[in-house]
Amino acid sequence: METSSTEPIRPNPDKLLRAISADAGACACDNEQRGRLKIFFGYAAGVGKTYAMLEAAHVAKDHGRDVVVGYIEPHTRPDTLALLDGLEQLPVREMPYKGISLREFDVDAALARKPGLILVDELAHTNAPGSRHAKRYRDVEELLHAGIDVFTTVNVQHLESLNDKVSATTEVVVQERIPDRIFDYASSVELVDLDPDDLLERLEGGKIYGAERAETALANFFSKKNLAYLRELALRRTADRLNRNLERGLGRAAGDAGDDVLVHVSPSAGNATVIRAAARLAAAYRGTLTALVMEPVDDQKLSEEDARALHANVELAEELGAHVVTVYGGDLALQIAQYALSGTISKIVIGSSENQRKRALPNLFPRESVGSRLAKLSCTADVVVIADRHEARPTSGPRLATRFKPTRTDFAAAFLALLGATVLGLAFHEAGLAGSTILAVYLVAVLLGSLKADSFFYSIVASPLAVILFNYFFQTPRFTLTAYGLNYPFTFAFLFVTSAVVSSLTIRTRREAQMNARKAYRTEVLLETEHRLQEANDVDSILSTTAEQVIKLLRTTVVIYQVSPSGRLLDPSLFSSGNPDEDVTMTSLVSDDERAVAAWVAGNNKRAGTGTGTLMNARCLYLPIRGKDTVVGVAGIVLADEDLDAFEKNLLLVMLDECGQAVERERSAEDAHRIRLQAEQESLRANLLRSISHDLRTPLTSISGDASILLSSADALTDDKKRAIYTDIYEDALWLVNLVENLLVVTRLDNGTMALKTEPELVEDVIREAFHHLNRKAALHELRVQVDDPLLMAQMDGRLIMQVIINLVNNAVTYTPEGSRITVSARRAGRGQRPGTAGLVAVSVADDGPGIAPADRTEIFTMFYKGKNVGSDARRGMGLGLALCKSIVEIHGGTIAVDALPESKRTSPDRPGTVITFTLPAVEYEANHAEAEQRATAATEGRPAADAARPPETTRTPNDEGGGA
């Protein structure tokens, strides 16, 4: 069946079911981390919100919920108070204020108790000074963040976006308000409704207020007209929330991008009304809200009153979900239009006070209104002018005064420019040049002076003085202020207007250049931050780089706290700006109170401290450094009396976000490296198991076979045959012992549990001790020990270095033919490069065997690498010995290398031999002690003392004692 394109598209039932299921699943997942908020919503006091909330609490308790009453507004309503029976109540917090005690909700007690459900009345309440949060809804947000479900109450007039509508109808301005996002994103909203006639009857019967207060309420707020309007507003707002939630659950249709709204934020008293209207417009059109702040190019600060008003309006825009941007310029309409054209803005909202016609001079030259100019400049956007119903405060007055505030530089520039022009003009006059030339001299002089002037006061002073001086010195009659001729008034007017306009434009252009340079500098800081964060190689350097860039941006001291992956706040790092004007002490910035604020920010992922509504008494503004899902750090910014402007705040947040992403990337890289190491360790274990399972078969089979022969045929064997079998069993068992020793050391190195126990050791003693644990086949080789100094000492773990020497000598025995010469030597490799350092000891194991091919020398220290010799012992090796030697030497701080035997020491041209050398840290010994040892040795052996330093060369043969293992 064909469907007309004009018919509304019906939702697909399957898609609707999937959306509802997905939304329920998302809520379930969200509930595991965040509590659920239920709002009992009414239109006036006395409709029964608290009563309905307490009834719902009893139902929840009957279903097994852990219910606690956190705070209930004290009422004189017995029906409501009766419902408190049977419910656990937290004690309130007494806050002293101006000689009285105020009862406040104790958020710390609620967090410590951590019930499943807590009741907190009056969501829009303003907390007493000294509380953690300025507003109670922030207390509730902290409870939700801790995973606690909350029941609360609020009236429609307390919603921020509806405040102007309520005040316009009821003529009552409600001061306690909550952001609309709290209401819109609540898990559940229950509308508590009551007919206005019934409510008035209850009020007159004293069931809501006392007699005197009830009479006042009836005469003011509680009129039937007001109550009917508020009831209608509550019903509409509840229905609107349901529609938004339905659209949010189903998802926005393709191509339905909504209309984005741009609102201008100014210090105007009525600007709050404009911002709320723009927020309602953005919500109605399902678009985003952008708040634009224009900074003047004259670089003059707002008055204190205007600065506070602008800051409050910016905070209001942020509370209503606006994205705040800052532009620089002097033409409001042009700046708004250019920003709107560069984005996707469909609606531009301004206030009626801002749309008033401006005049360049009083009662002269009326200019086009802002709205009219916007309608012409922004052809793609609709311009909406909101009647703000407030008398516009003269915000331009103080700023205008500061523009023309004189400075010493203005006076000096005007004096020097006019003096130079007058002197030069007199010279030109004496030379007979025309008056037009002198007129040009004055124009150029005023222009040059404007390049150094600070304010437009220079133009006011220099322009008329230039006319007066030109008339006095160069117009007939000279040296008087009178002039004759019809052309003189036109000449003077031309000089005055031209000099004033040119100097004013020059000053404005210079200030615009300064403003652009400052903006470019801030942008350059942001780009430099991104580049430097990419170069940082660990978390500490990332955080320190961010702190340095924040100091460059704001020129203020910064405190950085790192948050560990487990959520623990680490010790702070303090980065001073070096600004002598900062009235802070370094110890005050890292006090216990400041750390507590930083810990709160890390735990709640929200800003706090000075300039916020949470923990306002802190010395710094604390901002979370966020990764993708967690807080990785906290930045404390020392703020002066003035707050950050919107542009600086946006740049700061971007820098902190980049820092958080960089920290998260670095931690991810560390995790990936750790996982890779674990995979390598698992691979190593697997290779070890494979090697063990394969290489243990041969010796175990040999041992079991020899043992079986001895058990079954011992009587039939000769003594020589038995000795040969015993020898085979012993050698196989010794091979297994060495294998197990190597495996134990490899395992300890792999697990990182190898603890070095280094101490000074005599190198020769370690070498000789190692010779007692060699393979028995070492007796078939010629073993030598050569030590230059018998008192040569090295810092080592003797047990491990002895294992190195055993492995190296056994390796030489395995890969060289019988009768080969194997020499273990030790010498001092050189003194330390710095005075007082002992240098190194080099230990070498050399053999005159067939040697190692140059291509294989880089591989022999690789684990599981086996030489290419074909001997049976070589084939039975696992390739662990030399790799283990390399690991042991390196953890001692030494190196190991392999080379061929020098030609002078080779026993045959076809046997290049092998030399493996490793180094250890040397240990100095006392010279006097060494000389005494030499004399004692010489006296014992009957040798001259001079010869005592030359130790005899020790040669081991197959018949030496200890030649076997």
Side-chain angles (χ1 to χ4, degrees), residues 833-856:
Q833 296 180 355
R834 292 177 298 176
T837 56
L840 299 172
V841 170
V843 180
S844 301
V845 177
D847 65 70
D848 58 354
I852 302 174
D856 295 335

Side-chain angles (χ1 to χ4, degrees), residues 260-276:
D260 296 335
V261 178
L262 173 68
V263 60
H264 173 237
V265 179
S266 71
S268 171
N271 192 243
T273 300
V274 180
I275 295 172
R276 295 188 189 102

Side-chain angles (χ1 to χ4, degrees), residues 612-632:
T612 69
T614 302
L615 300 169
M616 299 79 73
N617 295 327
R619 186 64 185 84
C620 299
L621 168 64
Y622 289 94
L623 300 171
I625 303 176
R626 300 183 179 97
K628 183 178 180 181
D629 301 314
T630 59
V631 176
V632 300

